[in-house]
Amino acid sequence: MRIQAKYILPILVPLVVLLLPASAFPFETLTVMQQRAIALFLLAALCWVLEPMPIYATSVVVIVLELLFLSDKGIIWFRADANTPEFGNLLHYTDIMSTFASPIIMLFLGGFFLAMAATKYRLDVNLARVLLKPFGQKPTMVMAGLMLITAVFSMFMSNTATTAMMLAILTPILAVFKPNDPGKIAFALSIPVAANIGGIGTPIGTPPNAIALKYLTGENMITFGEWMAFAVPFVVVMLLLAWVLLSVMFRSDEASISLDIKGKFLKTSKAYTVYATFTITVLLWLMGSSHGMNSYTVALIPVAVFSMTGIINKEDLKKISWDVLWLVSGGFALGLALDKTGLAQLLVHSIPFENYAPEIVLIGAAALCLLMANFMSHTATANLLMPIMAALGVSMTSLSPMGGETTLILVVTFAASLGMSLPISTPPNALAHATGHVTSNQMAKVGVIIGVVGVALSFVMVWILRLVNFL
């Protein structure tokens, strides 16, 4: 029955929504376009949760359905009454297609090129080898070093790729422990926890950050450097709390462990090009717009340099996480439909949020996001919630003293990345669980504590930023 529901519900529910009369919905007015947008939203939500198809395929389907049924160049029979008020406004087909080439997509593409070049020329492993030396041989200190390096790499690389790399480095360390040593659990959990937390540190660290930037425009715009200015301290505090938690819950029986990571920095011309380009790109990102370029423009510099020099060739291009780019672009397209049809605003205005204290709204939004992120893709969660939260932030005047739209989006974004209670919550968790050293119950205990504490800390962080007039 569960297998059937996986395939039937994503088709049946949107069809029922489309066939219902407008009077069946709890809105004073509902246009045909808004009704179609509701059906599309439910289709995306059910497909992202139940996964009858790969989640990136859902994004592609969303974009194609928008072009067919919501755009001004869609099927002519489905836009015959486009000039009537009851029909609503059609979306321009170029706006839908441009989600494939959004500046945010270019930002991620630049990040992928940097990560691939760093791995190909062993910059990541060699940095790990050098950076772990100062941490000695005490288990808790070695774990602190591993978490710190994992978090830093996750700021600029895929969380999944970082976890896979660091777990490979961790394998000989785990072999030192006795079979029933709780330290094994701590070390195995430390990598995914640090990767999930570290991804919050930069706009390219994880897709929910990039999705948030899509809605932080105009007066609410946040540069790469500004994001890091408030996100990195949050990451540092969360890493410290996670390290203490793991050290206390799973204390190792070993007094010391040996660490042996073999390798050396390559000294070829291409390797030096990778080192220089990586450094220059990160510095340009940190400098914000002081040089006249935004982070999206800077992101294409490594793409050009690595392509021109052959550092990244056509075979390497096949290894880029194109599924992530498709997934994010589909989320943008869904947000576009909710926004341009007026459905997001209609949903927000239909709920009396003004009757609730702004603190309750913020806590409720963060709790909902955290809950969803534990059971489905963090990116899919952000894709579904962000358009609605953006509309809510604009419409709810009582949120203005607390930062309005910016505060709401940031709190929800951080909550999306803190969902790490289950092996299915995020790929790094799944990789750690696959090692066989961590049970789902152990992961859940740590994940719930970090998630709840992290959301609470994000509220404190936002309050401090408002206090110093940063937001």
Side-chain angles (χ1 to χ4, degrees), residues 216-236:
L216 294 172
T217 56
E219 293 181 356
N220 299 323
M221 185 176 180
I222 294 176
T223 66
F224 200 101
E226 287 173 341
W227 182 286
M228 290 189 70
F230 65 78
V232 171
F234 176 85
V235 168
V236 171

Side-chain angles (χ1 to χ4, degrees), residues 101-335:
S102 164
I104 307 295
I105 299 295
M106 296 301 108
L107 183 66
F108 255 76
L109 189 63
F112 287 156
F113 266 70
L114 286 175
M116 287 179 63
T119 301
K120 188 174 181 180
Y121 289 86
R122 298 184 61 79
L123 175 61
D124 47 11
V125 174
N126 283 304
L127 281 176
R129 175 176 56 83
V130 171
L131 294 174
L132 275 174
K133 278 186 178 180
F135 291 92
Q137 295 185 327
K138 192 175 179 181
T140 53
M141 295 308 298
V142 173
M143 185 171 70
L146 285 169
M147 292 180 72
L148 180 60
I149 294 166
T150 302
V152 171
F153 283 161
S154 289
M155 292 182 187
F156 301 96
M157 293 174 60
S158 156
N159 293 354
T160 307
T162 301
T163 301
M165 178 192 75
M166 295 303 293
L167 284 175
I169 294 173
L170 187 64
T171 302
I173 301 175
L174 292 176
V176 175
F177 291 99
K178 295 173 184 176
N180 297 321
D181 193 332
K184 276 189 173 183
I185 303 169
F187 272 73
L189 273 175
S190 68
I191 301 300
V193 166
N196 291 324
I197 293 173
I200 298 172
T202 67
I204 64 168
T206 183
N209 296 2
I211 295 167
L213 283 183
K214 182 75 175 179
Y215 297 94
L216 294 172
T217 56
E219 293 181 356
N220 299 323
M221 185 176 180
I222 294 176
T223 66
F224 200 101
E226 287 173 341
W227 182 286
M228 290 189 70
F230 65 78
V232 171
F234 176 85
V235 168
V236 171
V237 175
M238 284 304 301
L239 278 178
L240 182 61
L241 291 173
W243 174 66
V244 171
L245 180 66
L246 291 171
S247 299
V248 171
M249 289 183 68
F250 309 105
R251 190 180 298 278
S252 174
D253 297 331
E254 299 288 336
S256 66
I257 55 175
S258 59
L259 192 65
D260 183 24
I261 304 173
K262 299 186 182 297
K264 61 180 180 179
F265 284 98
L266 301 178
K267 296 180 180 180
T268 64
S269 58
K270 287 187 176 181
Y272 284 125
T273 303
V274 171
Y275 306 155
T277 305
F278 199 105
T279 303
I280 291 170
T281 303
V282 172
L283 286 175
L284 289 173
W285 272 334
L286 294 177
M287 291 168 64
S289 57
S290 59
H291 42 64
M293 297 182 290
N294 59 23
S295 56
Y296 314 120
T297 302
V298 173
L300 290 179
I301 293 176
V303 175
V305 172
F306 295 157
S307 300
M308 179 178 62
T309 57
I311 289 170
I312 300 296
N313 55 39
K314 64 179 182 181
E315 294 302 316
D316 295 322
L317 288 176
K318 297 175 184 178
K319 301 173 186 175
I320 288 179
S321 302
W322 296 107
D323 58 323
V324 173
L325 300 182
W326 284 99
L327 178 59
V328 173
S329 63
F332 292 162
L334 183 61

Side-chain angles (χ1 to χ4, degrees), residues 41 57 73 98-99 102 105 141 157 207 261 268 271 276 287 308 320 343 359 361 371 416 418 431 434:
F41 180 88
K73 296 298 179 183
S98 65
T99 58
S102 164
I105 299 295
M141 295 308 298
M157 293 174 60
I261 304 173
T268 64
M287 291 168 64
M308 179 178 62
I320 288 179
L343 181 60
E359 293 83 2
V361 173
L371 180 65
L418 291 168
L431 288 172

